[in-house]
Amino acid sequence: MPSTAIHTAARAVACHGAPWRGARSAVHYGPRLMSAISIRDLRRTYRSSSGFFSTRRVEREALRGVSLEVKRGELFGLLGPNGAGKTTLVKILATVLLPTAGTVEVFGSDVVRSTTEVRKRIGLVFGGERGLYGSISARDTLRFWSALYRLPSDAGRKRTDELLELVGLRDRADERVWTYSRGMKQRLHLARGLIARPELLLLDEPTIGLDPVAARELRQIVARLRDEDVTVFLTTHYMAEAESLCDRVAFINEGLIPLVDRPRVLTRLASEIRYLEAELPAASADALAVRLRAAPGVRDVRLSPAVEGFAPIAVDADATAYDAALQVLAEGGGQRVNTREPTLEDVYVRLLGERGMRV
Amino acid sequence: MPTLLWWMRVIVASIRVELARGFHAQLIGGALVSPLASAIYILMARHLGRTEATSYVVLAPMLFGMWGTAIVASGEAISSERGEGTLELLIAAPAPAALVAVGRIIAMTAESLVAVPLTLIVAALLGMPLEIREPGLFALGIFALVLSTAAIGMLFASLFVLARSTRLFQNVIGWPLWILSGVAFPLAVLPEAMRPLAAFVALSWGAAVLRGAAAGAGASWGIGLAAVLVLSVAYATLGARLFIGIERRVRVDGSLSTF
């Protein structure tokens, strides 16, 4: 069951427009010229056909009226489940997809009318294995893209060396890309996106599929971009990534952005809930979980499989039910009981949890 | 950097990348097919006692090979970018993506030129050497045909952006061009209604220049070369305009990365 506070905020946005674009924008974000990205009522519909003679028309609305401002120099995160519209939004910002309706400006240039101007100022990085020529080296890759971004030959060579150093690929710069690990490929992706010193870097799920160490290395490099005054627009569904990196985050779900704010502010939306974690004796864990679920004010109970005789349990309960839930855990022989702070993931699960596997 | 210089740099960078990727199996195959096909035609000509047809039986497979390369290369240039997930990144870059396709096609066409000496060697070994009386003009004709190959490749590449499966198109499109090119037979044997169409195929002019160079020129080589160059510019211009239109279309329908 989603939290009342989160849904109240989401409804307010849906009914009255984005509150962050009202009084707050005047105070915190300054004039529109200060915006790196300015999106107004953006809609994007995909049309396709099916059937033997392609007579059956199918329409799918990927974005259904998105409005958003991203400040210059900001590290902005867009969070949402698969199919929520994250990549569609990134592709529109990158000018590879046109909006069906609404306006999108990057540093004041319209992505439809001033495509060339926008392309000069952005870097685009997709996550995953694709997007690189496997049979050439990292150095050749960067030299090639430096030409496409109009860097003179000498400047392209210098920038290539700088970026190989930055992403830690200098020692293997002349090996073919297909010999690289996934983490190395992703770092090369990032270097490619930075080749022309973009003012805006679009990162579409850059850490997807990376092991924790590789993902952390990549995040450290992204965090360092803050010093270079690069605006970063990052999409991810890793909450911890957004929480640790981003100045502000937005949730996107089914083509709408119901919430956007600083991570700390958003986690406060989930603060009326207490998050309890404990380990229960395996023998009584199921019965205790049933008891907890039946207790008034308990919102969610997640029981994990027992390990070495104890089953981890996580309980989300209203503040009013906190004491009762704690008592049940204590009576049931719960060990290592602790209360943790709400995280962005809690807000995300509360907000989007109902969606489940629906697409 | 002036725009024209930048565009040249993009083409050269694309050629370098294509060459660094190594030889394509399909191109190697194409290069080997030309001398083999030439061997079949030569043996047929010898069997029929038509040894005066040397320029046709040697040049036809060679030129088929070159233009066939353009079709393969243009299809590969787009489908491999799409397959490797780089097509969207190319579109998002400030440089016109069509220039990358041009560079790649030029590189692949250059690779396919290995068919020229191989075919000439096979012809000599089989006793029907192609005597080239004006080698300079012959080389000029080959150079002009390389340009026209890249230009027609650019035209096809635009269409391949739209096509989800390029293979069928690659297999079919060559045949009408071979017929209209008149490289395997004189254009005079074509039905009268088809002959004007041959004038729009640069290969037909280029083949005439090469045959003229082999036989000892003649006064019309200048017109032939000019026609090849004019048609190449026309193909490239049409290809570029088409590419821009198609790029917009795929940005509207979101089909850039679908394959």
Side-chain angles (χ1 to χ4, degrees):
Chain A
M1 183 73 70
S3 118
T4 312
I6 293 171
H7 269 246
T8 305
R11 270 197 302 276
V13 171
C15 297
H16 306 296
W20 58 91
R21 290 198 291 114
R24 188 188 296 166
S25 66
V27 174
H28 293 287
Y29 308 142
R32 247 175 103 196
L33 274 178
M34 290 304 289
S35 293
I37 298 171
S38 178
I39 302 172
R40 299 276 176 275
D41 198 23
L42 174 64
R43 291 168 189 275
R44 170 69 209 195
T45 304
Y46 290 100
R47 296 183 176 88
S48 59
S49 54
S50 63
F52 189 72
F53 292 108
S54 300
T55 48
R56 203 177 312 133
R57 302 280 167 195
V58 183
E59 284 199 357
R60 188 175 62 80
E61 219 176 0
L63 297 173
R64 301 188 293 142
V66 167
S67 295
L68 196 65
E69 296 281 339
V70 177
K71 286 187 292 179
R72 281 171 190 258
E74 195 171 24
L75 217 159
F76 190 92
L78 184 66
L79 300 167
N82 296 330
K86 299 189 297 292
T87 298
T88 297
L89 185 49
V90 167
K91 285 182 177 178
I92 290 173
L93 287 167
T95 75
V96 295
L97 202 58
L98 291 174
T100 307
T103 59
V104 180
E105 290 177 355
V106 173
F107 299 111
S109 298
D110 188 277
V111 295
V112 179
R113 289 194 302 273
S114 308
T115 308
T116 309
E117 188 55 36
V118 172
R119 287 176 180 172
K120 282 182 202 164
R121 303 176 78 170
I122 61 168
L124 173 62
V125 175
F126 290 124
E129 299 267 349
R130 298 173 74 236
L132 296 169
Y133 302 120
S135 53
I136 64 172
S137 68
R139 192 184 303 281
D140 286 342
T141 300
L142 296 178
R143 293 293 312 280
F144 169 70
W145 287 98
S146 74
L148 266 66
Y149 278 82
R150 210 171 186 163
L151 264 65
S153 189
D154 285 349
R157 198 173 296 122
K158 191 164 170 254
R159 184 66 177 151
T160 295
D161 290 340
E162 280 172 16
L163 288 170
L164 289 170
E165 184 72 41
L166 176 77
V167 300
L169 289 175
R170 196 188 57 182
D171 293 343
R172 295 188 60 186
D174 297 307
E175 293 176 32
R176 287 179 191 254
V177 170
W178 67 39
T179 64
Y180 290 3
S181 68
R182 199 162 184 164
M184 290 167 72
K185 285 179 185 165
Q186 198 55 51
R187 280 183 275 147
L188 179 57
H189 267 305
L190 185 60
R192 192 197 50 70
L194 290 169
I195 192 75
R197 299 183 193 279
E199 293 165 72
L200 170 65
L201 184 65
L202 304 168
L203 300 173
D204 189 22
E205 309 213 24
T207 55
I208 195 159
L210 294 187
D211 65 63
V213 174
R216 191 178 60 186
E217 285 171 354
L218 197 81
R219 281 184 206 122
Q220 284 168 347
I221 298 170
V222 172
R224 265 184 267 157
L225 296 175
R226 211 189 291 266
D227 303 332
E228 296 185 22
D229 209 25
V230 179
T231 306
V232 179
F233 188 88
L234 164 85
T235 77
T236 181
H237 49 230
Y238 298 130
M239 300 302 120
E241 181 168 288
E243 207 162 357
S244 66
L245 273 180
C246 298
D247 300 314
R248 284 191 309 145
V249 295
F251 288 104
I252 186 166
N253 187 31
E254 297 182 343
L256 287 168
I257 292 187
L259 283 174
V260 55
D261 218 316
R262 291 185 293 277
R264 287 178 69 93
V265 174
L266 288 176
T267 52
R268 246 180 261 146
L269 291 172
S271 64
E272 88 282 14
I273 302 171
R274 297 290 179 269
Y275 300 90
L276 289 161
E277 291 170 344
E279 287 180 2
L280 298 177
S284 58
D286 286 335
L288 282 167
V290 170
R291 220 176 121 191
L292 280 165
R293 284 191 185 107
V298 171
R299 289 162 172 272
D300 194 13
V301 176
R302 297 179 297 281
L303 186 64
S304 303
V307 179
E308 295 178 1
F310 285 90
I313 190 165
V315 181
D316 302 353
D318 289 345
T320 51
Y322 174 70
D323 290 341
L326 209 54
Q327 195 176 347
V328 173
L329 290 173
E331 286 171 5
Q335 295 189 359
R336 298 183 191 174
V337 179
N338 72 69
T339 309
R340 64 168 176 80
E341 289 294 308
T343 64
L344 212 50
E345 186 165 350
D346 296 314
V347 184
Y348 180 91
V349 170
R350 293 279 144 204
L351 187 67
L352 310 177
E354 283 180 332
R355 175 174 167 164
M357 295 293 285
R358 265 188 303 126
V359 290
Chain B
M1 196 190 321
T3 301
L4 204 58
L5 196 64
W6 173 40
W7 287 5
M8 290 302 296
R9 186 160 137 67
V10 172
I11 291 174
V12 170
S14 307
I15 291 173
R16 281 171 55 109
V17 163
E18 188 56 47
L19 295 177
R21 289 156 72 106
F23 279 99
H24 284 259
Q26 278 170 299
L27 296 180
I28 294 288
L32 292 177
V33 164
S34 293
L36 292 174
S38 185
I40 293 168
Y41 296 149
I42 289 167
L43 294 171
M44 279 170 67
R46 287 186 61 181
H47 171 66
L48 297 170
R50 299 292 306 275
T51 48
E52 81 284 4
T54 308
S55 65
Y56 283 101
V57 296
V58 176
L59 286 178
M62 188 195 294
L63 298 178
F64 279 0
M66 276 180 67
W67 267 42
T69 299
I71 295 170
V72 172
S74 54
E76 283 301 306
I78 298 303
S79 62
S80 71
E81 299 287 1
R82 194 172 254 152
E84 288 179 298
T86 44
L87 191 55
E88 287 182 317
L89 298 172
L90 290 175
I91 297 291
L99 297 179
V100 176
V102 169
R104 293 190 61 184
I105 292 164
I106 289 174
M108 288 192 242
T109 306
E111 287 175 8
S112 77
L113 285 179
V114 70
V116 174
L118 283 179
T119 309
L120 294 176
I121 290 168
V122 165
L125 290 174
L126 292 176
M128 275 181 80
L130 180 68
E131 202 177 324
I132 302 170
R133 300 214 169 136
E134 296 194 30
L137 180 59
F138 192 86
L140 207 59
I142 292 283
F143 178 72
L145 278 174
V146 168
L147 291 183
S148 79
T149 306
I152 196 99
M154 163 113 183
L155 188 59
F156 290 144
S158 313
L159 301 172
F160 286 138
V161 174
L162 276 183
R164 287 189 185 179
S165 172
T166 57
R167 199 68 68 196
L168 179 69
F169 192 59
Q170 280 175 321
N171 287 336
V172 171
I173 193 68
W175 297 102
L177 283 175
W178 309 151
I179 294 170
L180 290 173
S181 67
V183 291
F185 46 80
L187 286 171
V189 302
L190 277 178
E192 204 167 333
M194 287 174 69
R195 280 179 225 160
L197 293 176
F200 297 100
V201 180
L203 192 54
S204 69
W205 296 95
V209 170
L210 294 184
R211 280 195 297 267
S220 62
W221 66 267
I223 296 172
L225 272 184
V228 173
L229 294 176
V230 167
L231 285 169
S232 301
V233 171
Y235 297 156
T237 308
L238 187 61
R241 292 192 72 88
L242 209 58
F243 205 97
I244 292 165
I246 288 171
E247 182 199 314
R248 186 170 175 86
R249 185 178 151 182
V250 293
R251 286 168 66 210
V252 169
D253 62 25
S255 61
L256 204 52
S257 59
T258 51
F259 59 98

